[in-house]
Amino acid sequence: MSLLGLETLLFVLAFALLVGGVIGSLTPQVPGALVSLAGVYLYWVASGMTEPGTIVLALLTLVGLLTWAVDIAGGAVAARVGGASNWTAALAGVVALVLFFVTGPLGILLGVAGTVFVVEFYRQEDARGSAKAALVTTVGMLASGIVQALLTASILVTMVAVALL
């Protein structure tokens, strides 16, 4: 394979990673932000470490790390705000992951809401508090996913602009 062919392959792979990062940000247990950053850095290496420039590279890295933090902490923060325990949030994440493979995206929502409600009701014997925790956790998880998708999409759009300009 010629050098030009390898360079083209690396650019295509970089954009595949960038698109995969956006998709991954909407998929449970896939670190979309890290996939996006892998695309950014692969493009940077393929360009001879010239594109994107240092400032843009640093900003994209910060956006990627912020997105990763939202991915890691979003559900747990929402659970705590809703009144659920960290243990409940972790259990809800596991149940949602299993149900995702059984029922798809709907399983994630039902798994989180149902698990938080049942576990919190068991812990506190308060139906209203358990329902609030389940609702806030589910809405927070959805909001976290939307924020991650928007941030990884902004990385993709920026890299398209870098490639075209």
Side-chain angles (χ1 to χ4, degrees):
M1 178 178 280
S2 70
L3 189 56
L4 183 59
L6 178 61
E7 183 179 286
T8 302
L9 179 64
L10 291 175
F11 284 129
V12 169
L13 182 56
F15 277 99
L17 287 168
L18 288 160
V19 170
V22 175
I23 294 167
S25 70
L26 297 169
T27 307
Q29 307 303 319
V30 176
L34 299 181
V35 174
S36 289
L37 285 177
V40 168
Y41 279 92
L42 181 58
Y43 187 96
W44 183 64
V45 168
S47 74
M49 299 181 188
T50 60
E51 292 182 23
T54 306
I55 293 172
V56 173
L57 184 66
L59 290 173
L60 289 173
T61 301
L62 288 174
V63 170
L65 293 174
L66 172 67
T67 306
W68 188 41
V70 168
D71 183 20
I72 291 172
V77 168
R80 295 300 298 159
V81 168
S85 69
N86 289 336
W87 187 85
T88 300
L91 181 61
V94 171
V95 170
L97 179 63
V98 170
L99 287 179
F100 171 73
F101 292 109
V102 176
T103 62
L106 184 59
I108 296 169
L109 295 175
L110 296 176
V112 167
T115 302
V116 171
F117 179 82
V118 168
V119 172
E120 288 304 308
F121 185 76
Y122 177 79
R123 285 183 59 232
Q124 301 173 13
E125 296 183 10
D126 174 16
R128 177 168 280 176
S130 299
K132 175 190 170 211
L135 178 64
V136 170
T137 302
T138 304
V139 169
M141 184 188 72
L142 287 171
S144 171
I146 290 168
V147 167
Q148 290 174 62
L150 290 172
L151 290 171
T152 53
S154 73
I155 293 171
L156 172 60
V157 168
T158 301
M159 288 305 297
V160 167
V162 164
L164 294 176
L165 298 178

